[in-house]
Amino acid sequence: MPFDPSTLSYDINGLIPVIAQEDGTGAVLMLAWMNAEAVARTLATGRVTYWSRSRQAYWVKGETSGHTQELVDLRIDCDRDCLLAVVRQTGPACHTGRKNCFFTAVRDGCEMEIEQSVG
């Protein structure tokens, strides 16, 4: 059966959260947002396209930085209100230069940076 992005459960702003996971390692890289058009563009091109809430514009991951995400698989959760994008990541996923966006842990009630920024 053909997939229709409009069948997903979007929030009041027409967005759905997307978790990017690295193919092969299973590492969680980042969380971002898509609308139905971003989902369609991602599937059509194989380059992960998100919706930037701050810029109110589409952004193809790595378009300016070169740190691209090539789509391997797009998965829908059981409630159809969250996506998992399995990707081939080139370069760091985080805009801070880190491999992923989850570089702060809460341990023993305190925040702790567990991965240093590159450069």
Side-chain angles (χ1 to χ4, degrees):
M1 150 163 79
F3 171 68
D4 179 358
S6 70
T7 64
L8 298 173
S9 293
Y10 299 92
D11 70 11
I12 194 164
N13 298 309
L15 301 174
I16 190 168
V18 184
I19 300 163
Q21 181 183 44
E22 188 172 42
D23 185 43
T25 69
V28 175
L29 300 173
M30 58 180 277
L31 177 127
W33 299 86
M34 288 183 181
N35 60 17
E37 180 61 24
V39 173
R41 289 182 186 194
T42 296
L43 292 170
T45 66
R47 295 192 60 207
V48 182
T49 303
Y50 297 107
W51 177 256
S52 170
R53 296 175 299 163
S54 59
R55 291 181 301 218
Q56 293 291 294
Y58 294 101
W59 57 286
V60 177
K61 182 68 174 165
E63 194 169 47
T64 56
S65 69
H67 303 151
T68 60
Q69 290 180 347
E70 176 189 348
L71 185 68
V72 174
D73 201 16
L74 188 66
R75 300 178 188 173
I76 305 164
D77 86 327
C78 57
D79 294 323
R80 302 184 71 81
D81 62 359
C82 184
L83 299 174
L84 176 68
V86 179
V87 302
R88 284 191 196 96
Q89 177 72 43
T90 300
C94 185
H95 73 280
T96 66
R98 293 172 176 91
K99 183 168 177 59
N100 67 66
C101 295
F102 300 97
F103 53 86
T104 304
V106 179
R107 295 184 178 159
D108 296 323
C110 297
E111 287 188 31
M112 172 187 287
E113 192 170 304
I114 57 175
E115 183 180 336
Q116 298 296 313
S117 176
V118 178

